[in-house]
Amino acid sequence: MKIAICTLGCKVNQYETQAMEAQLLRRGHQLVPFEDRADAYIINTCAVTAMSGHKSRQIIRRARKQNPAAVVGVCGCYAQTDPQAVAELEVDLISGPSGRMIFLDDLEEIAAARLGSRAPQAPVSQEPMVAPRITVKNIMSTKIFEDLPAGGLEGRTRAMLKVEDGCVNFCSYCIIPYARGPVRSLPLARAVEEARSLAEKGYKEIVLTGIEISSWGQDLKNGQDLGDLIQAVCQAAPDCRIRLGSLEPRTVTEEFCRQISSLHNLCPHFHLSLQSGCDATLKRMNRKYDTARYYESVELLCKYYVNPGVTTDLIVGFPGETEEEFSQTLAFMEKCAFTAMHIFPYSRRPGTPAASMPGQVPKAVKEERARRAAEAAARMERRYLEQWDKVEVLFEEERDGLWRGHTTRYSEVRVRSGENLHNQLRRVQVTGVGEGYLEGEIILEKQ
């Protein structure tokens, strides 16, 4: 059976899609591009913003239009938070962000019944659509981590290893705790086993990912925390780069930095979610830190690492944000000197406390603030990039005649080369700085 998959949202969704892809290939199916006519379509949805839900619905409609006779299965966070809205879109199967292998079983069962009822090229029946099979569970009562195979398809250089699921922070703008449920952790021994397996398969970099990896170990109640996990994984795959997913700023303590700073293969790249540089706004967001505690984390990382890559997320135009509050955020950004930023205008998400807060900021104001923040972020990123002379790069792909890869600090590098650099670690002489990337030339090894 030809199956096409579209994934929206975060690295965790990408990881779970890769696990489904690997399983489908093992079951003898053929994966095809989502734009192709397929026998079945899987849409792995996102619900982080209202726009994410809108995009999910668009993709579902596109799949049905591409092949009206195909089986359409929808899973992920949007399917979890609003299954009835998904059910109205002529789909066959709806599941949440758990039970992925059962979801594939159900997809095969529905497809077998449908394909067995007519020849593959027979016209589509005009009979009314059968009600979809809905297997969405109460995610808030889920206590078991779903252990899916790590890695990706052949040809990829960077493997993701999902070590945690769920979140209990309940930020006022965020639907994810309701979509993903409570914290569940992959046991340390399994993480070590998966890391070794990925290294043996030839991956040069492993990314520890999860919905909120800083919470890893809370549910295990055995005294282990994220620092222990990082140490164990780095030691299990000593020849692989180990990169961390997004961290809650309070994770970064003196003890944490002492524990991880001696690990030679841990990438000195730390993504610390900020969201706002104004304490009043952070309080309305129900974030668990203030700017003083956040800056303490930045200072600690700079104390233990030379020029670490410190990246972040920022939401502008949160309800009640004044021009003065936004100015405080801009000043705090400059103080932290971030090496790269993801900047989002606040998106009203139904079902969250922030959606009904007073002081909703007009769209034009949000867009203008996002532009100003992006301009400041670009200046900071350029200053960071301009200091590099030679860097080590893991190359991933060739596009538009240029090989592209990333440094340990997650700066993108582009070079021209007649060699096949895929999945190679090479030293690069920096020759220039583009918009958000370094330009360079491969340093030839001495004969």
Side-chain angles (χ1 to χ4, degrees):
M1 183 166 60
K2 292 182 178 180
I3 301 178
I5 306 180
C6 180
T7 307
L8 296 96
C10 65
K11 285 185 171 64
V12 174
N13 263 16
Q14 295 169 25
Y15 172 91
E16 291 165 349
T17 289
Q18 289 180 12
M20 288 192 289
E21 288 173 337
Q23 180 65 18
L24 288 168
L25 290 175
R26 280 195 288 269
R27 296 184 183 195
H29 300 293
Q30 178 185 353
L31 298 177
V32 298
F34 197 80
E35 296 74 24
D36 288 8
R37 185 180 176 89
D39 301 308
Y41 294 90
I42 295 173
I43 299 93
N44 194 359
T45 61
C46 175
V48 70
T49 66
M51 181 56 68
S52 301
H54 175 69
K55 288 181 179 178
S56 295
R57 294 191 298 273
Q58 282 185 322
I59 297 295
I60 294 166
R61 292 190 184 98
R62 192 206 306 175
R64 178 57 68 200
K65 185 177 181 180
Q66 286 176 186
N67 183 2
V71 175
V72 177
V74 182
C75 58
C77 293
Y78 181 63
Q80 177 71 37
T81 58
D82 205 345
Q84 294 309 315
V86 176
E88 295 171 1
L89 300 176
E90 297 186 357
V91 304
D92 300 283
L93 175 63
I94 304 171
S95 180
S98 61
R100 297 308 177 104
M101 298 303 108
I102 296 174
F103 172 76
L104 297 184
D105 293 341
D106 289 344
L107 188 83
E108 288 180 322
E109 181 183 324
I110 294 170
R114 180 167 303 174
L115 294 174
S117 66
R118 64 171 182 269
Q121 302 302 319
V124 181
S125 171
Q126 298 302 310
E127 296 177 3
M129 185 78 184
V130 177
R133 183 182 300 184
I134 302 177
T135 60
V136 175
K137 300 178 181 179
N138 178 10
I139 197 73
M140 303 307 289
S141 64
T142 303
K143 297 181 180 179
I144 305 299
F145 181 87
E146 184 177 17
D147 191 349
L148 297 172
L153 299 182
E154 185 179 354
R156 291 177 178 157
T157 59
R158 181 182 296 116
M160 288 180 284
L161 173 53
K162 179 183 167 186
V163 296
E164 184 274 342
D165 206 340
C167 179
V168 293
N169 288 332
F170 292 97
C171 299
S172 63
Y173 55 82
C174 187
I175 198 72
I176 295 306
Y178 306 98
R180 285 282 177 170
V183 171
R184 289 97 71 200
S185 304
L186 178 69
L188 188 145
R190 281 288 298 124
V192 165
E193 182 182 341
E194 289 284 7
R196 285 180 179 148
S197 174
L198 291 169
E200 290 170 359
K201 290 176 181 177
Y203 289 100
K204 297 290 200 313
E205 183 173 306
I206 299 171
V207 182
L208 300 186
T209 190
I211 296 299
E212 218 269 310
I213 67 169
S214 290
S215 296
W216 182 90
Q218 288 181 5
D219 56 315
L220 300 178
K221 301 185 185 305
N222 59 8
Q224 295 173 339
D225 60 16
L226 181 63
D228 299 317
L229 175 72
I230 295 168
Q231 190 171 39
V233 168
C234 284
Q235 292 170 352
D239 296 327
C240 274
R241 289 179 175 181
I242 306 299
R243 191 180 299 279
L244 303 181
S246 180
L247 295 176
E248 208 277 358
R250 294 174 301 163
T251 304
V252 182
T253 62
E254 191 94 36
E255 180 182 357
F256 178 79
C257 290
R258 284 198 196 101
Q259 186 175 14
I260 67 170
S261 59
S262 62
L263 302 170
H264 76 278
N265 56 332
L266 179 67
C267 292
H269 165 225
F270 303 93
H271 188 86
L272 305 181
S273 297
L274 173 62
Q275 309 308 359
S276 175
C278 168
D279 288 338
T281 308
L282 288 172
K283 188 173 183 179
R284 292 196 301 277
M285 288 178 166
N286 197 32
R287 300 294 283 178
K288 307 303 189 292
Y289 53 85
D290 58 16
T291 53
R293 179 61 186 87
Y294 188 99
Y295 190 63
E296 179 185 336
S297 297
V298 175
E299 287 188 306
L300 281 168
L301 292 172
C302 292
K303 173 183 174 181
Y304 281 87
Y305 291 91
V306 177
N307 292 330
V310 181
T311 59
T312 198
D313 300 315
L314 184 73
I315 297 173
V316 300
F318 189 75
E321 184 185 68
T322 64
E323 182 62 29
E324 170 58 28
E325 289 181 344
F326 177 64
S327 296
Q328 291 178 31
T329 290
L330 288 178
F332 189 70
M333 286 167 49
E334 294 283 355
K335 182 179 180 180
C336 293
F338 294 113
T339 59
M341 299 181 68
H342 297 141
I343 297 166
F344 307 94
Y346 168 71
S347 175
R348 203 169 187 169
R349 182 61 176 85
T352 63
S356 58
M357 282 183 176
Q360 298 288 330
V361 178
K363 180 181 179 181
V365 175
K366 290 189 288 188
E367 291 177 346
E368 191 265 344
R369 289 178 184 171
R371 178 189 60 76
R372 289 161 61 192
E375 288 174 352
R379 289 194 299 270
M380 289 187 292
E381 183 175 30
R382 187 171 188 89
R383 285 199 299 267
Y384 184 72
L385 293 175
E386 285 174 343
Q387 67 185 303
W388 297 105
D389 178 44
K390 295 181 177 67
V391 291
E392 186 178 68
V393 181
L394 174 59
F395 285 98
E396 297 146 27
E397 63 173 350
E398 184 184 25
R399 196 163 71 242
D400 301 325
L402 296 170
W403 277 98
R404 303 170 187 228
H406 288 85
T407 68
T408 56
R409 291 164 175 80
Y410 210 57
S411 297
E412 183 179 336
V413 180
R414 303 179 185 180
V415 304
R416 290 194 183 278
S417 176
E419 296 182 71
N420 182 353
L421 299 178
H422 176 73
N423 205 31
Q424 289 194 38
L425 278 167
R426 300 291 291 272
R427 292 277 292 168
V428 171
Q429 175 69 55
V430 176
T431 59
V433 177
E435 293 187 11
Y437 62 91
L438 292 168
E439 299 167 343
E441 297 175 348
I442 298 293
I443 297 175
L444 299 177
E445 301 295 333
K446 293 182 180 179
Q447 300 299 318

